[in-house]
Amino acid sequence: MKGACAIAIDDGKVFFSFGLLKKPAFLFIEEFSITISQKSADLFSSIKDNAEMINRTIDNVAKRHNLKIDKVFLELPQSFINTKIVTDIVPLRGKRKVSFSDIKLIKKYLEDKFLDWDDYCIHNIGLQFTTRGATYQEPPYGVWAKKLAVKSLLVSIKDKVYKELEDIFDNFGRQFLGLVSSMVSTYANVFTKPDKPQVVMYCGYQQSSFVVRKKGDFVFSEEVNFNLKSLIDKLAKRFFLDFALAEELFERYISFKEIPYFKEITIKKGTGYANLSIQTMNLFMKDYIKSEVENLFQLINLHTDGEEFIFSFLGQLGNKDGFYKFLRGCVSCELATSLERSVQSTSFGCLRYGLSPFLELDYRKNKSFLQRAVSIYREYF
């Protein structure tokens, strides 16, 4: 059986999502993570320095599930990419019904016009199409038009960067199928198309971000100071603990379920020992997280113009007992969970989108010959 793998790196951890390739989509198998030695925050160094371990992990999971995994996708952090929203009016070849080939040519035209000669386009996501006074959120196939006003999101990196990454995976003996930006993989963990504004928050160990998508727009914001490291740091300062001990307590005892008041643990502080109430520790953490969520929603509201939105939360914090019930008590909006609730990273979204890039103008290339023939027939008739 054939399988595929997507890789996402988050501060000393490599997350893998594995899937069984089955038409028309894929079957998610599992998420797996390993801890790596990370001498710097540089993505290339992290992959090169741990190449053998990464390759061995893929082999071990492949053997366990009796799979042949040679297709690999990689999530690219936002700091590596260039993102721009472009608009232009593109003439067609005379008045005609808009076809797939027209949209493909428009896509290439936008890339040639707005990207530098040494840029490699990762995503070209059509946000709006306007012709004859009508606006469409998807390509207006079959509509008569002489020209299209197009609004598109272009995500790119330098050709040199892409080639370096491709060479790394070639050395693994894997087929490198491409990059997915963290913005898109975060979104793809949960959603496909917006019927109203959608927000996905990814809470990482040291970096967190959220994605906002609404009709005709795609807003990305990072530098959100709400991550596991900041939570652990607050816990350490509140109870006068060193960071390593606070991290251990956070992993073992922080929960969002009700904790009996009398439950305590004994910890070593300096030369002596002290008792710490688990309930007190959890109440502090709940209050702090609630205030951080309120601050986060104030920021999100600026990007959604006060409209109602669907909210989703991703990350290791979501695996804590009772977290989503607690979160529902903090917010008034509709909550959505990841399509695979067991995952702790955005690697599943990377795999899902890599195999089926549903936001792209040319996503139909993944359809069968018969499906493409039917689509072309419908466009012209």
Side-chain angles (χ1 to χ4, degrees):
M1 295 186 293
K2 293 184 178 180
C5 168
I7 299 172
I9 298 179
D10 182 9
D11 196 68
K13 272 195 171 183
V14 179
F15 291 91
F16 305 81
S17 275
F18 296 92
L20 173 64
L21 298 180
K22 294 187 69 175
K23 293 183 178 180
F26 75 101
L27 178 65
F28 177 71
I29 297 175
E30 69 168 308
E31 180 189 64
F32 194 83
S33 66
I34 59 173
T35 301
I36 60 172
S37 59
Q38 197 168 21
K39 300 174 183 176
S40 71
D42 181 67
L43 179 68
F44 302 107
S45 299
S46 298
I47 295 176
K48 288 178 181 177
D49 295 343
N50 299 276
E52 290 186 11
M53 186 184 298
I54 291 172
N55 199 39
R56 189 163 57 247
T57 300
I58 296 174
D59 280 337
N60 291 339
V61 173
K63 289 177 183 177
R64 188 164 70 245
H65 294 284
N66 194 27
L67 293 175
K68 179 183 179 182
I69 299 176
D70 57 3
K71 301 181 186 299
V72 179
F73 299 93
L74 176 66
E75 179 187 80
L76 199 61
Q78 194 68 13
S79 58
F80 276 79
I81 61 179
N82 177 43
T83 301
K84 60 175 70 174
I85 292 179
V86 301
T87 58
D88 204 353
I89 298 175
V90 186
L92 303 180
R93 294 165 294 179
K95 189 174 181 180
R96 53 189 287 142
K97 286 185 177 181
V98 178
S99 67
F100 175 66
S101 61
D102 293 321
I103 297 300
K104 191 173 182 179
L105 287 173
I106 289 173
K107 174 180 177 179
K108 186 176 186 306
Y109 170 83
L110 294 176
E111 292 173 13
D112 290 342
K113 180 174 181 177
F114 292 103
L115 297 181
D116 293 334
W117 66 271
D118 59 344
D119 283 337
Y120 183 91
C121 189
I122 302 173
H123 306 301
N124 187 334
I125 300 172
L127 301 175
Q128 277 188 354
F129 304 85
T130 303
T131 183
R132 301 169 65 187
T135 299
Y136 305 85
Q137 305 303 319
E138 295 184 353
Y141 295 120
V143 174
W144 283 94
K146 292 180 65 176
K147 57 187 176 181
L148 281 180
V150 183
K151 178 181 179 183
S152 190
L153 173 68
L154 301 181
V155 182
S156 63
I157 58 172
K158 293 301 179 184
D159 274 320
K160 180 182 177 182
V161 176
Y162 185 87
K163 186 64 171 63
E164 289 176 357
L165 288 169
E166 192 175 40
D167 289 344
I168 291 173
F169 286 95
D170 282 345
N171 292 335
F172 287 0
R174 311 284 178 188
Q175 184 182 359
F176 182 53
L177 293 186
L179 301 167
V180 178
S181 73
S182 58
M183 172 179 65
V184 173
S185 60
T186 298
Y187 179 81
N189 250 68
V190 188
F191 298 116
T192 301
K193 296 179 181 179
D195 51 358
K196 62 181 178 180
Q198 301 162 334
V199 180
V200 187
M201 163 79 182
Y202 174 64
C203 181
Y205 180 80
Q206 197 162 350
Q207 292 186 332
S208 296
S209 59
F210 66 85
V211 176
V212 179
R213 189 180 182 213
K214 49 189 179 181
K215 287 185 178 181
D217 211 351
F218 218 138
V219 181
F220 179 72
S221 177
E222 57 180 329
E223 302 293 331
V224 181
N225 189 29
F226 176 30
N227 51 63
L228 293 183
K229 190 173 184 295
S230 67
L231 296 180
I232 295 167
D233 190 53
K234 289 292 181 182
L235 186 67
K237 292 177 178 178
R238 168 62 179 82
F239 294 100
F240 306 101
L241 307 170
D242 63 60
F243 186 86
L245 177 57
E247 188 167 31
E248 182 180 351
L249 294 178
F250 183 89
E251 291 293 329
R252 295 181 62 180
Y253 297 108
I254 292 298
S255 171
F256 295 88
K257 287 187 173 182
E258 295 299 322
I259 304 294
Y261 179 75
F262 56 81
K263 194 167 184 179
E264 294 183 336
I265 54 173
T266 301
I267 59 174
K268 187 174 183 180
K269 298 188 72 174
T271 58
Y273 294 87
N275 291 332
L276 180 61
S277 166
I278 296 179
Q279 186 192 54
T280 301
M281 187 168 59
N282 277 290
L283 285 175
F284 166 76
M285 191 54 60
K286 287 179 181 179
D287 288 342
Y288 178 72
I289 291 176
K290 185 176 180 180
S291 68
E292 287 295 294
V293 170
E294 290 172 353
N295 292 335
L296 174 67
F297 269 54
Q298 289 180 6
L299 183 58
I300 291 172
N301 283 326
L302 296 177
H303 292 290
T304 57
D305 301 321
E307 293 183 64
E308 291 186 356
F309 57 85
I310 306 172
F311 180 71
S312 183
F313 189 97
L314 305 175
Q316 299 175 58
L317 190 62
N319 287 341
K320 291 286 187 182
D321 288 342
F323 175 77
Y324 283 106
K325 183 178 180 181
F326 164 77
L327 186 61
R328 286 190 181 92
C330 298
V331 302
S332 57
C333 64
E334 181 182 347
L335 291 182
T337 57
S338 170
L339 296 175
E340 290 295 337
R341 295 191 62 172
S342 62
V343 301
Q344 299 182 23
S345 74
T346 53
S347 61
F348 166 72
C350 181
L351 179 63
R352 181 188 180 217
Y353 191 80
L355 291 172
S356 181
F358 51 84
L359 297 174
E360 307 286 333
L361 301 182
D362 62 345
Y363 70 93
R364 293 187 178 194
K365 67 184 179 182
N366 290 323
K367 292 187 176 183
S368 68
F369 174 79
L370 179 60
Q371 288 172 316
R372 291 198 300 271
V374 170
S375 296
I376 294 171
Y377 180 84
R378 287 173 176 171
E379 287 171 11
Y380 284 95
F381 299 99

